Amino acid sequence: MTTVDGQAPAGATADVRSQVRDLVAEMMREPAGRTSPSPYETARLVSLAPWLVGHHDRVRYLLDTQRPDGAWGQAGGYALVPTLSATEALLAVLRSDPPVDVAGPARAVDRGLAALFRLVRDAAPLPDMPAVDLIVPALVDGINHQLHRLTARPPAGLRRWQSSAPLALPPGITRDRLTAVRRLVAAGGPIPDKLLHALEVVADVAPAARGVTPTASGSVGASPAATAAWLGKPDRPDGGGALAYLESTVGRHGGPVPCAAPITVFERAWVTTTLARAGIALTDHAGLISSLTANLGATGTPTGPGLPADADTTSVTLVALGHLGAPVPPDCLWSYETPEGFCTWPGEDGFSSTTNAHVLDAFGQHLAAPGRVQPRHHATVRRLVTALRERQDPQGSWSDRWHASGYYATACCAQALAEFGSPAAVAEPLTRAVGWTLATQREDGAWGTWAATAEETAYALQILLAGGAHRPAAVEAIRRGYAYLRQHDGPEGPALWHDKDLYQPTRIVRAAVLAAQHQAGSLLAAPSGRA
């Protein structure tokens, strides 16, 4: 049994500890983890696996989650991938056998196509999402193929698309990599582990892909869509485990599915580390430790079975194990070292500020133990501090490829710098981060990229607590943000985390909100916090 300990005053923060106990107990009961449904991933099942239990629920989910402007997902470039996926899937529904009531899907397709042509025309910048350069051309080609097949007898609501030009690729996207991947899979070549998570982009050749074996959980690439693409049909002789995985994942979410499952290590590592950093320790944790070390090897650990190991998940897992009293040296991270810092995985395009902040956490925590004098590790900490300082945005925030909100990236970087950087090296970037956070607080005391959210308010409070709790202006902002969280601490909120689609790791976000409430409440309850 996992229990909760930690110092906290009576009252509101004591209530937080009670909620943490419930959260951790729930997490330990559900090893697969919990994330929000994905319009992209759900639509892939509608298109690729109409025979799978819950099909009509998935179609209804797509119809219910379409925005008033015809798109799906968040604003701007974030809308392109889910809107492509949902529109292609509903076009497939219109051609289903036996036929369906086409009125609802046809209206949704008509609005979705209009939204897609607008998105391509307006050329909104595409966010840095996994496999976006494969997903977009695959779905554009799929939509154009479906439209061509509908031209003879289109439903009444789609007749205006009979004479339209094909949907074009957005600027900056080509078919080159998709073509290379399709040739690789069709030729029976070895498929990189990272690519398995998006195997659905070559669904026409995925069932014959060589060397692809579902994990013990039954998944391919920890993805319902990739698993359905590999399975091809429900009676595949060697597909029993994959079918059971899909049925189980569908059952947990009532029809719709998330982008990734299971996420055992990711969820448990982030929840543990977030709570521990706020002074909420987890004890009696034998089952927790064993789940975090189960797949920890020479190159670290993956988010969940079916995904490759990565430096981000590995670093947070190492920090979690340290907090749990089961420290593991961070030497498995050396394989991710680059001239710029550390990559999330070998061959990564770009630099992840949050991955490097988490690597700094792992090395810093390791060196904090008494008697550890390791020159290479100390040099790495100094180099990471410099790398994060150099990548701070001019306004004082950080941005990152794994989250839509700058508040998450800034909280990760500010906390790592505050805890493990030298005071002289981190004073200026922390001051700038606090200044940006104070300047962007909303009238209601919250923070948010598109609208006020509890999640982003929690990250903003973490920034202020890490770098500005001694400043009266910061204390007042913390007071206002804390009041907002006390009134808006439910599970509602947009999906902000990057995968093939935006998603919300529900328990990780809940842990962040509870941790911020605990820290802020403790500060404000202290005599110095009442000024």
Side-chain angles (χ1 to χ4, degrees), residues 115-137:
L116 286 171
F117 277 86
R118 278 197 313 272
L119 286 166
V120 172
R121 180 198 66 206
D122 295 344
L126 288 181
D128 185 8
M129 307 280 277
V132 67
D133 59 336
L134 298 173
I135 291 169
V136 170

Side-chain angles (χ1 to χ4, degrees), residues 148-174:
H148 178 73
R149 296 182 67 175
L150 280 175
T151 53
R153 296 178 60 187
L158 297 180
R159 286 173 186 156
R160 65 169 170 150
W161 301 103
Q162 278 183 291
S163 58
S164 72
L167 182 64
L169 292 177
I173 295 291
T174 73

Side-chain angles (χ1 to χ4, degrees), residues 431-446:
T431 297
R432 291 173 57 210
V434 168
W436 171 74
T437 306
L438 293 175
T440 56
Q441 189 172 27
R442 294 171 176 264
E443 289 293 326
D444 59 1

